[in-house]
Structures are given as structure tokens and as C-alpha cells.
Amino acid sequence: MLKSRIGVAALLFLLLTGVLAPVSAQMDDELTLLYWQSASILNPYLSGGTKDLHAASVILEPLARYNENGALVPYLAEGIPTVANGGISEDLTSITWTLGEGIVWSDGSPLTSADVVFTWEYCTHPEMGCSGLSHFADVESVEALDERTVTVHFSVAKPFPYGPFVAQVSPIIQAAQFADCLGANAPICTEQNFGPIGTGPYVVEEFRANDVVVYSANPNYREAGKPYFQRVVLKGGGDAESAARAVLETGEADYAWNLQIEPAVQGNMEAAGFGKVVSAFDPGVERLILNQTNPDPDLGENRSVYMGGDNAHPFLTHDAVWMALSKAIDRQLIALVLYGSGGVPTCNILARPIIYASTANDACLPQDIPGANALLDEAGIVDSDGDGVRELDGVPLRILYQTSTNAVRQSTQALIKHWWSRIGVETELRNISAGVFFGGDPASPDTYGKFYADIEMYTNGFSGTDPESYLGSWVCSEINGPDNNWLGNNVPRWCNADYEALVEQMAQTSDTEERIDLAMHMNDMLVNSGIFIPLVDRAKVSAHANSLEGFLINAWDTELWNIADWTRAS
Amino acid sequence: MGQYLIRRLLVSIPTLLVISLVVFTILELSPADPVGNLPLTIPPAVREQIRDAMGVNDPFLVKFAKWLRQFMINEPLNIIEETTGLNFAPRLSLAPDDLIARGEEGFDSLAFELVEEVESAAHSVLVDGQARELFRSERQFFLLDDNSAPLFLNETANGTVGRELSNDNVDVPEGELLPLHESRLRYLSWQTRSPIIDLVIERTPQTLWVVGLSYLAAIFVAVPIGVIQAYRQYSNFDRFSTVFATIGFSVPTFFIGLLFIYIFSVQLGWFPSIYDTTHVVTDLDSFLFQLRQSIMPVTVLALFYMALLSRHTRSSMLENLKLDYVRTARSKGIAERRVVGHHALRNSLIPVVTLIALGIPGVFQGAIITEQIFRVNGLGQLLIIAIQGGDLPTVQTLTFIFAVLNVFFNIVADVLYAVLDPRIRYT
């Protein structure tokens, strides 16, 4: 009896010492990436979610990527075609890419222009439902001139022809592998979608959807001696804060993506000495959108519907009102307290790339509540019935202000509601689950596109560095309404002939300087028309281990864009 | 008893059908959109195309019929076929006109054009006027020529015959060539575009290991605690355990989980806070690692189950200890150990066992919060991600599987009750 007890105790002790041995230090040539939203699929054309684009980007590569400064660098292409080097035709309707010499797929077969042509056919197949379709907008045909040369023909002049086959959103897939996956067959090709053959530094070793991707180094990668890390684990799940903790406080992971950490907590975490938080500004701007149409529920079917000049919003279209609403907001405080390293205050809708940022509107930065009150008083918008709320032509300034459910957004709402109460505007707050709010169900009254509210708030921007299509969103034909199932791009329902003319002009301007001037002008017009109140210029925030070298955060492409160059400090 | 069982099982079929219809209707009415979480840089028109391709915009009845057919019929058949090697699917047949032989010199230079999905009666294919039976191996179709040399066509995933046939690189496949059958459409998730059943199978092990282990641990600890508590009612041990159980039951698992991570991962560095689902146990070291990474999630969950079970054991035991048969046993001079451990405990366990059986479906459902905190990524996490992502097929499938388990273990609990308590008889 005693003996067996000693035996049991000894066994327990052994187990305990084994179990309690310190968490082993990271293996030198293994890299751990943490994504709190896990990758669902490794085919970027079937998902479009940023997490999936990143997870696929270490396998599949485009012809060119944006580097950390937003400049195009060739990946599979030999160089960047321009008008000057003859790669882009004089009339701007075609661009010719030359593939780098001797590039092979991870299975050893050569990369050819047929693969590029196939990628276009794959994504533009009418039954496909390709998430990257907009990057092939206006592409008439893609033509293989020889094994290594391919020309993209556009139906219109494209001053910025770097949409197709550029950046994480439009990589090249292997024709041989996806030949049977065209159109309606695309989703059922699980084997291909979970293990695409690529040209990138890594190949999929194991993929568990919505959980983890294990990659190993691609033996056929074009650069000798790269990548440094032989094995990469991209682990998903959990939440942003615990992901930050795993990099900054426990050192269990080398990199964590998309963090929104409270500024106060961030300092404490970094103090542990395992890693640091880095950020990079992309074109995303958190803004208020002001409904130009009347969202009154009594209007029934005509609620929030643009009807020429009729059915206008009862007070938001009045200049004094939106100016006062903007003046009353302390953007600096919102950015400092709620966003920390994740944002800076802005007065522009187009804030990045920085060369496009207008300085004409910076007067909005300091908060001016007395000024806002004076503005409303002068316009005769006063509280005539003594209930603390101002009226315009008998309509009280009562605002329904909606956004998606998210801690930072709800804090922003609360602050803004408070400031607006000080200028005699009553605000009702509403938040809607992100999956519903950003969804497109035409039957749902709660989507951002339907806009059954006076004001809503979210972040929008564009991918890549060219703002043309982004600025082209607010044309009359894109106004959301029942005729397009509320699936337009012009959410504020704003129609302006002068702006329309500028959009036309942009499409025909190829000179960079002129484009910048034009874009700034359009931005100024947007923010001075009372359809947007820009709040915060947002940044991508990530954390990486101190021992990880070569990491360059990139706001214009996948953050794993240069993973082949990452190394570990000894 | 046998009759009773059969009756219960038969009744459960319409029950499950009604459950699946109700769940489906609720999900259909929910406004969650599977493309709602995509970046706004994807234009609304493209999103609409994605929705169309997923089948989100199909009418309700079409979606429900698809689910019934693909999940209730196709998937079970697939599983049966995979395990038994039989094949129930009709042989894929192609109408002779669907194949266009472009080559001239017999089989060596044949090429085939793309043909549509066909369901005509012919079991074989006419090539150059000769009937050839189709065979398959892995993902390729074969036609055998007179010398049994294979000609191949590529298979597209839904059973149509692809277009390519290059005669110069025909690989002779190793192993047996199987006769060709129509392939069945599988029930796909909108998020991953992969068969949901595969996802469920992939995730069941880690859920069973973590949640199941904690359930077992809880049972083995909670029952003795409950017995001692009842036997020494109002003793210090009883009071302490009561407080402990109250804490375990009322403090949410996400709080205890975070506390554990803070103490054991951040401060002490003993256990990893990230669960490695790809870890394979091969030797003692890897087993120890598996233990180490499971300890925190298992303990957090076990605390919760333990609290529940120990309270039940205690109250049931208290009730029994007061009864006449215990007094009789004692008066007969039976040792105290036997009175408690044999007579009282056995009777007290009847309701506890039922409770345990009813809790087993919960083990399969995983623990949504605990799995999220420790990144165990089991069935609970799969469900919550699917709900957040508006992935209707996955939510529907998981809730249905859980419903089946619930119905099944309810029957098991009832049967167990009869087995344990001879006073109960089902007729």
C-alpha cells in the first residue's frame, strides 16, 4: 500500500515537472503569425476578406506589389510598364507586362503568360462571383503575346492601368491547377481553394479552415537562400487584445495583425520587452455620412430615396446645420483617446497617400462649440419652444445616428452625442451588428446602404494607391435606391453636376501632378458640400517581436508582402 | 423495452425534421449577410454577384430542399461509401453525341470536347462507333482501349467531363480502376466553400479532447466531493466546497480564463496561451506538451461542470442518507463505509447519472467562450464564427447535429434511468 502510494507520488511529480517546464523558447527558423480573424480559404478570388488575402499572399503573387511607401515594385514582372518605357500604349488603352525570366511554380512547372490570361478568364467568368472582379473593370481582353509577354486591353483610356494583376487582391493563379474550376465549379474545387500552387516563398503544408495554416518554404522559390524561415504557422482565432499579449507580453508569437488596443494598455504591454507596436496609415477614413434624403419612417417606400431635388433631408442639407455639427466635434480627442496609434484627426475624405491630402480644410481640427452655436443662431435655427432642441422651420434637430457594433465606435458615438447636445441637437444612438450593417440584404432595414437614419458612421477607403475609383463613387448613377437594391456606392445620395464633370475629367487625366490637384479639388468639394464629416484618418496597427528583423509594415498591400526577407536576430 | 426504444427512435425522426425546418426558418429570417464582413473596397455590385454564386439569393424552399438533399442524403451516402467501399450512385453515363471525337487514328489521338452534365441512359460511351465503358481513378476519367491502355479525360468536380485530352502524357494510374459514378454535390459552407461535414470532422477531436476531458475530470472530482459534503453536512469542508462551487458556477469562464492566462502565461510563463491544434502526440515529450497546452482550458471548463455536478450529488445524497433503508442498513450493523458507498451512493447517483448523460451533447457543442480565449478552435468556435459571418449552411448543419445529439442522449438518459432504477419500467 505504502509502496504504491510512493510510486503514484513519484509519477505525479515526474508529470508535474515535465508539464511545468518553462514554455520552450521559439524555434529559430519557425515563424508564428497571429490573426484574430482566422483564414477561411486560401483562394483570394473567392473571399476578399483581408485575413484571407494575407494568408494567400505568401503563396500567390501578383505581377507587381506596392511597397511600404506605396510605390509599385515588380514581383512576377520584370519591370513596371509605363508610358515612358513603352509598356503602356500612348492612348492609355493597353498595358504590356513582361514576366520575369525563369520563374517557376512551386511544383516546378514554368510560369507563362497563359497563366495570366487564365487568371483573368477565371475571375471574370459570369457564374463565378469573383470578389476581385472590380480590379478587372473595363478590361476588354488579356492577350498572351508570347511565353513571357502579356497585354491587357482596356475598353476605355486608363490613366492608372495598374488594377489587374497588381497587389494582394489580384494575384496570378496556375492555369493547370484551376482549369476545371471555372464558373460555377469554382466553389466546389476545395482541394485547389485550400492549397493553391503559387510562386511565392511558401507552400501550404496543412490548412484547417478558420483555424490555422501551416506553410513550409517553397523549394522552387526564385530567390536563392530565401525565405529564411523554413516553417510559418498562421494561427487564427481569439481576439485582438490577446493576440497583442501573445506577441508583446508572452513572446509566444512573432507577429499579430490588425490590433485595436487601448492606448493606455499598449504602453504596459510594450514594457514587457518582447515586441513593439507598429502602424501605417492607409486610405481608410472614419467619417460621418449625412443623409441628403429624408429618412422619415412616415414616408413609407420613399424613405431615404433620392427623388431629384424632392424628398431632401429636412435640415441636414442646410449649410449652417452640418457646419455646426462638424465644428462641435473634437476630432483630436477622439483620435488621441480612442484610436491612439491607430489614427490621427483629419478633415479630409481623401487623406492618403499623403501627396493627395488637401490642407484647405484643416480649420475643422480645433473644436469650436461657441462658434457652432453662433452659426446656428445667425441662421435663425433656434430653440423656439424651450425644450432644449433647436428647430429649423418647425422641424426639431433630432438625429438618429447609427453605426456598427464596436467598442471604439460606441465610445465615439457617446462623445459626439454629448457635444451635439451642447449645440441644441438631440441625438439618438443606434448600433447594429457589423455582419448586418455592412450586409446587402435588400429586405433588411438596417444596412448602411439603405441608410434609414439621419447620420451613419463607418470607415471607407480604397485598395492600392490610386483614388480614381474611390472618388468616382459619388456620382448620381451610383445613388443607393430601390432600383439598384440599395447596392450603390453613393450612400449619402448626393448628386452634383459639377462633381460629375470632375469625375469625367479625372478619367482622362494621366499626368500625376494634374491628377493630384484634381483629386484634392474633388476632396474639398466633397467635404464642403455637407455630405461627409471626416473624423479620423485610420492606420493599420500590428505588433511584431523584437527579434523579428526585416518586417516593414505596409498599408498598401498585404502586410506579409516581404515575408521572404524576414529573418530572426540571433 | 425494445418496443419502447423503437417507438422513441421513430418519433425522433419527425421531431428532428421539424427542428431543422424551424432552425432553417429562423436563420433565413436573420439579417446577417455572408458578404457583410468583406472590406468596403469591394463594390456592392460585386458583392451581389458573390451572393448569387453562393446561392444566398435562392428562394427559401430551394435552399431548404438543397439542404435536405445534400446534407440528409448525399453526405450520409458519401460516408457509407467511403467506409464500405460500395457505390450507390448511378453510373455516370454520357450520351454518345456529347462526346466529339476529333482524332482520326483510333484511340491514340482522341480528343474530347467539353460536355454538359448529362443524365442519359447509356452506360458507356461511343467512341468512333465503339462502346467504351468509363472508369475512374482519383480525379481522372478513363476510357480503356482494346489493349486495356487508358485514355484519359479530366474530371470536373461536379461530374461533368472536362475538355482536355492530350495523348502524349497519359499516365497509367496505379491501382484499381473503378467504374465511373456520378458524383454528388456536397453541402458547402459559404465562408470556406468547403464541405461542412469535413470541417466538423476536423474539429471534433480537439473539442472532445478539451471539453470531454474537462467533463470527465469534473465527474471524477465532483462526485466524491458531493458525497463527502452530504455526509458531513455543515462541516468546514462542506462550507468551503459550497463557496468553491458557487464561485465556479457564477464567475464567468471568460474571466477565469483571462485570469489563468495572466497568472500562468504572462507572469509565470508555465503554460502556452495559444492552443496548437496541429500538434500530434507521438512520444512522451509531445504528450507532455499536449497536457501542458490543455491544462488551462480544461481546468477552466472543469471548474464550471464540477460546481454543477457536486451540488447535485450533494443534494441527492442528503435526501437518501435520511431515508429508512439507510437506517435499516446501519441497524443491521453493516459497516458505515458500505452503507454510504454502496447503499446510499448508488441510489443517489440515479439523478446524477441522468444529468451527466444529458450533458454529453454539450460536450460536442464545445465551449464557445473558452475555445475562443485559448484558441482551441473546436466546434464551438466554428459555430460562433459561422454565426458572425452569416454562414447559414454551417450554422444550420451544426445546430442540426447538436439537435440530433440532444434527442439521442435524451433517449439514452431515459433508458439509463430504467436500467439503474428497477422501479421504472417502460412499456
Side-chain angles (χ1 to χ4, degrees), chain A residues 19 23 40 46-48 130 133 179-180 187 208-211 235-238 242 252 435 438-440 459 487-489, chain B residues 33 36 38-41 44 46 48-49 155 163 191-194 202-203 269-270 272-275 277 292 372 375 377:
Chain A
V19 166
V23 177
S40 304
L46 278 175
S47 164
C130 175
L133 192 62
D180 293 330
R208 292 167 175 244
N210 285 341
D211 180 10
K235 175 75 179 175
S242 67
E252 283 172 87
F438 293 115
T459 289
L487 295 173
N489 279 311
Chain B
D33 186 339
L38 295 184
L40 283 181
T41 45
V46 173
E48 188 61 12
Q49 284 194 19
E155 176 191 11
R163 52 192 148 61
Q191 258 183 337
T192 69
R193 309 295 188 95
S194 66
E202 190 174 270
R203 271 149 188 265
W270 286 356
S273 66
I274 301 168
Y275 187 92
T277 44
R292 211 162 68 203
Q372 279 272 63
R375 294 178 165 82
N377 296 350

Side-chain angles (χ1 to χ4, degrees), chain B residues 203-223:
Chain B
R203 271 149 188 265
T204 307
Q206 56 247 42
T207 289
L208 281 189
W209 168 258
V210 171
V211 188
L213 203 62
S214 62
Y215 202 58
L216 278 181
I219 293 170
F220 280 113
V221 178
V223 171

